[in-house]
């Protein structure tokens, strides 16, 4: 167990979160918390709602009911200024990097500093170089994002996410689309950020290898509900068949619902069938 | 059964008309909201510690205005010469070629300069704006701005909107001058009226009212171009193909809006 974790200090608390996309319910009452100094990995198959949960944790969407408290603040009640304040304390590394293609790598990393601090340019440049050093991209600050490889873009995005020294770092699929060596280097980087900078990290991924390498605790989502929350040992020992299927990469047996099957085939609503 | 399917096809058509109408109303609403939000950030930005940055406004003005000068000059000159040719040709029927200047001066400043400038800026910058916002949305760059605590309207839309509203009237004034000058060259060659006499006559005909008619119209075109570009870019779905689609839509919509607004403006102001 990682000694830096402070189980009494919860940086993220989600209670009974229900969300909709149009009229479709995506998250159906999710509760979880993230403690100071831990890496919480959120996993689940596609369509399980893990990306939606992350978008809500980043306050990019409005939820239907339930509460999300980040650093003690209920994000639904924050005004523009308080929300900006909160956002300077969180960092996000997006799946595709989301670097601004019209700016150099250095300018990308400096942007939060430029917008939220009154530092002079020289200081900002030094801070940006320091963060590039952390993600092993020193000397690349004058390149454009289009000149970087996939792994480098993800590391640059990580540098931009941590430039304000946030308390919480969100990573969306950090190892998706990367070769094993590069993705393992990214895992090392996440561990280093937790240990050296005492950040809490929330990682959404479906790469089992990196889950077992970095996670302090794991949340498994399935069809909008929480299937499991716990440590890696608890995960391995879980009696749940769905979790064992997930861990052993066995495909799920499809639910057998005759009415739903007929509805799908005919494209018409069968009288008496449960609506989908 | 036959009547049943007929009814359902009628219902489907009505439903389609309804949905299109709702989408259109929604987009107009989005555009209006965008203008208000832009004004809000322009006024309140500094107090919320999110000021609109002057350098980004200048960058937009450079891109929308200065870089468009060559093509605007070329088009304005062409339109000027075209008007001179047509004017002389038509007036020759009455033997009144020498009265051509009044037609040229009024149609360039009141109609052609604002219209051609608006259409060019819609094609150059309206499309670029839609493509830029659309690409940024697809690459999650807009989300990235939000999570960094940077409001995208303040950061992206206000500079573009302001840049367009400042530069399109400037470009229109510029094409007034270029168009009048080019027409003058043709009149000078064709009717042997000296340039000095031509410009004397132009100065006599043109009042501030005529110039302002064209310039204020062009400011409205500018708002239309920027807002339609942003609304379409923000509505992008479905990857690179979607960006192409919204870019085309933005250009078609803003040119149509410009032409229709031009007519309405002329109708309202000249009555």
């Amino acid at each position: 167990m990682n000694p830096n974790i402070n189980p009494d200090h919860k940086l993220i608390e989600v209670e009974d979160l229900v969300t909709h996309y149009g009229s479709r319910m995506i998250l159906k009452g999710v509760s979880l918390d993230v403690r100071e100094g831990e890496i919480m990995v959120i996993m689940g198959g596609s369509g399980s709602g893990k990306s939606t949960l992350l978008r809500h944790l980043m306050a990019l969407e409005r939820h239907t009911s339930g509460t999300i408290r980040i650093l003690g603040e209920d994000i639904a009640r924050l005004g523009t200024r308080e929300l900006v304040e909160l956002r300077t304390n969180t960092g996000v590394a997006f799946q595709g990097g989301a670097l601004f293609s019209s700016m150099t790598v250095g300018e990308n990393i400096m942007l939060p500093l430029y917008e939220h601090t009154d530092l002079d340019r020289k200081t900002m440049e030094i801070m940006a170089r320091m963060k590039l050093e952390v993600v092993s991209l020193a000397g690349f600050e004058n390149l454009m994002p289009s000149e970087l490889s996939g792994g480098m873009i993800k590391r640059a995005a990580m540098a931009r996410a941590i430039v304000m020294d946030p308390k919480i770092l969100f990573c969306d699929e950090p190892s998706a689309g990367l070769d094993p060596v590069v993705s393992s280097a990214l895992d090392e980087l996440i561990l280093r950020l937790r240990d050296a900078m005492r950040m809490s990290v929330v990682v959404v991924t479906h790469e089992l290898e990196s889950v077992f390498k970095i996670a302090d605790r794991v949340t498994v989502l399935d069809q909008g509900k929480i299937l499991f929350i716990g440590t890696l040992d608890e995960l391995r020992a879980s009696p749940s068949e769905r979790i064992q299927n997930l861990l052993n990469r066995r495909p799920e047996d499809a639910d057998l619902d005759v009415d739903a099957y007929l509805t799908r085939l005919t494209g018409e609503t069968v009288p008496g069938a449960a609506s989908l | 059964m036959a009547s049943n399917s007929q009814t359902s096809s009628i219902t489907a058509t009505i439903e389609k008309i309804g949905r299109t109408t709702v989408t259109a109303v929604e987009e107009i609403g989005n555009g209006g909201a965008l203008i208000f939000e832009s004004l809000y950030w322009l006024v309140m930005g500094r107090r919320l510690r999110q000021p609109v940055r002057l350098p980004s406004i200048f960058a937009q003005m450079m891109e929308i205005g200065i870089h468009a000068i060559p093509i605007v000059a070329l088009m304005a000159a062409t339109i000027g010469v075209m008007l001179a040719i047509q004017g002389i040709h038509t007036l020759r029927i009455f033997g009144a070629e020498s009265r051509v200047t009044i037609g040229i001066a009024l149609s360039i400043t009141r109609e052609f300069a604002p219209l051609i400038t608006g259409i060019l800026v819609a094609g150059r910058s309206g499309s670029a704006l839609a493509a830029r916002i659309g690409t940024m949305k697809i690459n999650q760059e807009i989300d990235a701005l939000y999570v960094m605590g940077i409001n995208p309207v303040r950061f992206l839309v206000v500079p573009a909107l302001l840049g367009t509203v400042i530069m399109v009237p400037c470009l229109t004034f510029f094409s007034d001058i270029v168009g009048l000058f080019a027409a003058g060259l043709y009149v000078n060659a064709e009717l042997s009226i000296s340039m000095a006499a031509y410009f004397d006559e132009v100065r006599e005909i043109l009042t501030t009212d005529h110039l302002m008619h064209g310039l204020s119209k062009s400011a409205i075109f500018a708002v239309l171009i920027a807002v339609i570009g942003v609304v379409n870019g923000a509505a992008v779905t479905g990857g690179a193909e979607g960006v192409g689609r919204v870019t085309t839509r933005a250009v078609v919509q803003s040119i149509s809006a410009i032409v229709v607004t031009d007519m309405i403006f002329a109708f309202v102001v000249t009555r």
Side-chain angles (χ1 to χ4, degrees):
Chain A
M1 179 108 172
N2 168 15
N4 284 335
I5 296 180
N6 179 357
D8 299 327
H9 193 185
K10 290 166 180 166
L11 296 190
I12 301 177
E13 294 160 274
V14 179
E15 273 166 45
D16 212 18
L17 180 68
V18 176
T19 70
H20 286 80
Y21 185 77
S23 57
R24 203 150 47 96
M25 195 192 257
I26 306 289
L27 296 178
K28 303 162 184 166
V30 168
S31 301
L32 63 99
D33 54 63
V34 178
R35 300 159 185 169
E36 188 174 21
E38 79 171 343
I39 296 179
M40 168 66 96
V41 174
I42 300 172
M43 41 186 305
S46 6
S48 61
K50 57 183 195 304
S51 308
T52 308
L53 176 58
L54 188 68
R55 286 184 70 80
H56 281 275
L57 293 180
M58 301 188 297
L60 283 174
E61 312 276 345
R62 290 194 171 276
H63 47 273
T64 317
S65 66
T67 51
I68 303 175
R69 256 190 290 278
I70 311 258
L71 300 172
E73 310 266 10
D74 182 348
I75 58 167
R77 288 162 191 257
L78 291 180
T80 316
R81 262 177 102 155
E82 292 89 35
L83 193 58
V84 169
E85 187 78 31
L86 178 68
R87 287 190 147 140
T88 57
N89 281 312
T90 58
V92 181
F94 284 93
Q95 185 174 354
L99 297 176
F100 302 112
S101 48
S102 56
M103 303 179 187
T104 65
V105 173
E107 285 166 347
N108 261 287
I109 295 170
M110 276 192 290
L111 185 66
L113 295 172
Y114 181 70
E115 291 291 336
H116 296 304
T117 68
D118 298 319
L119 300 172
D120 62 298
R121 193 170 172 93
K122 202 82 211 152
T123 319
M124 291 196 283
E125 277 171 8
I126 292 171
M127 288 178 76
R129 282 194 207 108
M130 272 164 57
K131 302 300 176 189
L132 278 171
E133 206 76 55
V134 172
V135 300
S136 333
L137 273 181
F140 287 91
E141 64 263 32
N142 290 325
L143 291 186
M144 300 304 282
S146 56
E147 296 170 290
L148 300 184
S149 72
M152 286 155 95
I153 285 180
K154 295 223 177 192
R155 278 186 283 157
M158 206 78 95
R160 187 177 68 182
I162 61 171
V163 74
M164 298 287 286
D165 291 322
K167 298 192 175 75
I168 306 172
L169 175 65
F170 296 102
C171 299
D172 190 7
E173 306 267 2
S175 35
L178 299 178
D179 67 69
V181 179
V182 177
S183 97
S184 134
L186 266 167
D187 290 342
E188 294 286 344
L189 174 62
I190 292 173
L191 287 170
R192 211 158 60 225
L193 290 176
R194 177 198 65 186
D195 295 337
M197 306 175 102
R198 300 277 172 104
M199 283 176 201
S200 302
V201 190
V202 177
V203 182
V204 166
T205 185
H206 52 241
E207 305 275 330
L208 283 172
E209 210 171 308
S210 82
V211 173
F212 283 108
K213 192 166 169 189
I214 61 176
D216 291 313
R217 286 196 305 151
V218 180
T219 300
V220 182
L221 276 178
D222 186 49
Q223 297 177 359
K225 291 191 186 122
I226 293 213
L227 196 58
F228 171 89
I229 298 186
T231 61
L232 285 174
D233 292 334
E234 290 164 0
L235 182 71
R236 284 194 201 92
S238 165
S240 156
E241 194 188 339
R242 292 192 95 106
I243 289 184
Q244 288 309 320
N245 283 343
L246 190 72
L247 295 184
N248 297 309
R249 299 180 167 87
R250 268 198 301 267
E252 292 279 329
D253 294 327
D255 299 333
L256 256 176
D257 182 338
V258 181
D259 285 339
Y261 177 65
L262 281 176
T263 307
R264 282 201 299 275
L265 282 189
T266 56
E268 286 170 15
T269 321
V270 180
S275 61
L276 282 177
Chain B
M1 201 64 202
S3 80
N4 206 347
S5 78
Q6 206 173 9
T7 329
S8 78
S9 96
I10 292 173
T11 338
T13 318
I14 294 175
E15 190 179 330
K16 202 176 158 195
I17 294 171
R19 280 189 197 285
T20 318
T21 316
V22 169
T23 316
V25 171
E26 193 181 325
E27 283 189 349
I28 293 172
N30 284 346
L34 196 67
I35 295 175
F36 277 110
E37 210 182 329
S38 302
L39 287 175
Y40 172 80
W41 283 108
L42 201 57
V43 177
M44 294 292 288
R46 204 159 285 280
R47 197 172 304 170
L48 293 168
R49 291 181 55 83
Q50 294 222 34
V52 176
R53 308 273 176 190
L54 270 182
S56 27
I57 299 175
F58 285 133
Q60 288 294 318
M61 284 167 65
M62 195 72 192
E63 183 47 44
I64 296 161
I66 309 298
H67 291 169
I69 283 180
I71 184 71
V72 168
L74 186 67
M75 288 299 113
T78 315
I79 294 274
V81 173
M82 179 274 283
L83 277 174
I85 297 171
Q86 294 282 28
I88 291 171
H89 178 79
T90 320
L91 289 171
R92 193 160 279 154
I93 302 170
F94 315 105
E97 300 100 303
S98 57
R99 301 297 298 143
V100 73
T101 320
I102 182 164
I104 293 170
L106 293 190
S107 30
I108 285 185
T109 52
R110 291 176 72 96
E111 277 307 325
F112 283 99
L115 206 55
I116 200 69
T117 311
I119 289 173
L120 282 173
V121 173
R124 273 188 89 253
S125 307
S127 60
L129 193 59
R132 186 157 67 101
I133 305 255
T135 315
M136 288 185 77
K137 179 146 189 228
I138 291 201
N139 293 339
Q140 286 192 298
E141 291 172 41
I142 304 283
D143 287 341
L145 282 175
Y146 273 119
V147 299
M148 279 184 219
I150 300 170
N151 184 289
V153 173
R154 189 266 300 179
F155 190 76
L156 296 171
V157 178
V158 178
L161 184 64
L162 224 54
T164 324
V165 172
I166 297 170
M167 288 319 278
V168 170
C170 292
L171 281 175
T172 304
F173 187 68
F174 172 74
S175 38
D176 282 343
I177 293 167
V178 174
L180 287 172
F181 184 78
L185 287 180
Y186 186 82
V187 170
N188 171 255
E190 184 77 9
L191 304 177
S192 333
I193 297 174
S194 78
M195 283 303 268
Y198 169 81
F199 271 111
D200 269 349
E201 208 184 334
V202 166
R203 256 207 309 272
E204 218 163 278
I205 296 162
L206 283 186
T207 59
T208 326
D209 190 47
H210 295 309
L211 277 175
M212 287 315 289
H213 179 96
L215 293 181
S216 41
K217 207 155 59 176
S218 74
I220 300 177
F221 296 168
V223 175
L224 288 173
I225 294 168
V227 169
I228 290 174
V230 174
V231 168
N232 275 294
V236 71
T237 47
E241 196 194 333
V243 174
R245 208 164 37 230
V246 295
T247 310
T248 315
R249 244 178 122 233
V251 177
V252 173
Q253 282 185 359
S254 46
I255 292 180
S256 318
I258 284 174
V259 174
V260 173
T261 312
D262 188 23
M263 188 268 286
I264 295 173
F265 188 91
F267 179 76
V268 171
V269 173
T270 53
R271 274 170 75 89

